[in-house]
Amino acid sequence: MKTLRTFSLLTFSLLLISSKICRGADYRYEACAPQNCGGGGPNISFPFFLPSQQSYCGYPGFAINCSSNGFPLLHLSENEYIIEDIFYQTRSLHVFNAAALLPSSIGSSCSQRLIGNATLPDGRFNYFGGEDFSLFFRCENVSDELLRYAIDCDGSRERSGEVDLAMFAGNEDWGSAVGTCEESVLARAELSGDEREDEVVDVAAVLRRGFVMNWTASDCSDCQESGGRCGFNETSFLFRCFCPDRPHSRSCKPGEIFSLDFFPFLVSSLYAFLCCVLIDFCAIFISLR
C-alpha cells in the first residue's frame, strides 16, 4: 500500500511537470502577448486588442485598428481617434481626432464630411480631460461679433452669404452661433490656457491637442502582477487570466489550482502523460522493484 501511494504521488508530480515540458506555454498566453501597430506607438494589450489577435485577448468593444502609417486607431461613434498614449495603471488614454492629420488634398480638418460629434459609447469610456468646442456650418447673416470666429472649411468663405464658425463651449457668443447656423458638430480638445473666448484660428492644431479618456473594463492588475496576460471569455462573459500553464480566473497564483479550468487542464495533462517517454520509463522502473 505504501509503495502504491508513493507511486501515485510520484506519477502525479511527474504528470504535472511533464505536461509543461511537453506542451510549452498555453496557446492563449502566447497569443495575447502585447503588440503594436509598428509605427512607434504604444503597446496594445488588454482591454484593447488588434485585428491580428484573437478577440479573447481583449474586452468586448475595445478593438483597435492600425492605420497605413502605423497609428493605432480607435473608432468611437462618428470618429476615428489616433491613440497617442495608453496609461494602463490609471486606465486612461490620450487620443486625438484622426482628421487633424489629413492632408489638405483630402479636405480641411474642420470639414463636416470628416469630423463627427464627439459622443462616447455608454459604459465603456468617459472624458477625463479636454473641453467641448463646436464647429458651426452654413451660417447666414452673421454679425460682426460672430465673424471673428469664422474659419475656412471647404472654401466656405467663397460661398455667397455663408460662413463656418468655430468656438469653445462656454463662449459667451456660443448661443448666438446656435441660432444663426444651420448645422453644428461638437468636437473635443484640451484648452490651451485661458482661450475660451478666443478665436479658433487653426482647427487642425486644436484637434491635434487631443484629450484624455478613462475606460471601464475588467481589472487586469492582479493577473499582470502574477505574470499572466489578461483576456476575456465571450461565451461565459467572464474575465480570464491567461498563464503559462493554463487560464485562471483572476491570477496565476498557485492558490487557484482547483478553478474551473483545472479539469480541462487535467485531461490535457493526462494526454501529455501518456505521450511523454519519461513517465513510461519511470513507471516501468517502479513496477519492476
Side-chain angles (χ1 to χ4, degrees):
M1 182 66 69
K2 182 177 180 181
T3 302
L4 180 60
R5 186 162 50 249
T6 302
F7 171 74
S8 299
L9 290 173
L10 178 62
T11 300
F12 185 73
S13 299
L14 289 173
L15 183 153
L16 294 176
I17 295 171
S18 63
S19 66
K20 294 183 179 181
I21 295 173
C22 296
R23 294 186 302 124
D26 184 85
Y27 69 93
R28 288 154 291 196
Y29 174 83
E30 297 284 3
C32 295
Q35 298 185 18
N36 59 55
C37 289
N43 279 337
I44 306 301
S45 60
F46 187 90
F48 305 101
F49 61 99
L50 295 171
S52 59
Q53 296 179 298
Q54 298 293 329
S55 60
Y56 57 68
C57 293
Y59 195 82
F62 285 77
I64 287 178
N65 292 312
C66 294
S67 72
S68 58
N69 296 323
F71 295 119
L73 292 173
L74 178 64
H75 181 81
L76 295 178
S77 300
E78 302 176 29
N79 294 286
E80 291 277 359
Y81 292 100
I82 292 176
I83 300 177
E84 198 162 36
D85 210 347
I86 303 177
F87 312 102
Y88 289 100
Q89 289 186 334
T90 58
R91 301 190 198 182
S92 60
L93 66 164
H94 186 270
V95 303
F96 64 89
N97 197 300
L101 297 185
L102 289 174
S104 57
S105 59
I106 295 179
S108 170
S109 296
C110 60
S111 171
Q112 194 176 10
R113 295 182 296 103
L114 303 175
I115 182 171
N117 284 304
T119 54
L120 297 180
D122 293 337
R124 281 186 284 161
F125 298 94
N126 59 81
Y127 293 125
F128 182 74
E131 297 284 342
D132 291 333
F133 78 96
S134 294
L135 302 173
F136 297 95
F137 304 99
R138 290 187 289 280
C139 308
E140 296 182 342
N141 301 317
V142 177
S143 66
D144 291 339
E145 182 60 30
L146 285 180
L147 277 176
R148 62 190 288 251
Y149 304 105
I151 53 176
D152 188 16
C153 288
D154 299 335
S156 64
R157 291 185 178 180
E158 297 178 3
R159 297 198 304 264
S160 175
E162 289 187 353
V163 295
D164 297 332
L165 309 173
M167 65 180 67
F168 280 98
N171 186 298
E172 61 181 10
D173 293 315
W174 191 84
S176 298
V178 172
T180 303
C181 307
E182 290 187 16
E183 297 184 51
S184 65
V185 167
L186 194 65
R188 188 86 177 179
E190 297 285 354
L191 277 172
S192 178
D194 187 18
E195 63 175 355
R196 194 178 300 279
E197 304 296 328
D198 296 342
E199 302 91 342
V200 179
V201 178
D202 188 340
V203 173
V206 173
L207 289 176
R208 183 62 182 81
R209 297 175 193 167
F211 56 92
V212 176
M213 296 188 297
N214 288 335
W215 73 72
T216 300
S218 300
D219 186 4
C220 183
S221 55
D222 287 345
C223 178
Q224 284 186 321
E225 291 171 3
S226 67
R229 291 168 179 163
C230 302
F232 198 80
N233 188 321
E234 293 182 290
T235 302
S236 63
F237 215 74
L238 293 173
F239 174 84
R240 295 282 82 183
C241 182
F242 299 129
C243 305
D245 59 345
R246 60 186 173 85
H248 292 244
S249 60
R250 297 303 307 173
S251 74
C252 300
K253 295 176 181 178
E256 293 194 354
I257 186 170
F258 290 108
S259 68
L260 291 176
D261 293 304
F262 176 73
F263 298 101
F265 166 73
L266 184 60
V267 172
S268 63
S269 296
L270 285 169
Y271 178 79
F273 168 72
L274 295 174
C275 295
C276 290
V277 177
L278 178 62
I279 299 299
D280 291 335
F281 276 116
C282 290
I284 295 172
F285 176 76
I286 295 174
S287 65
L288 293 175
R289 292 192 61 182

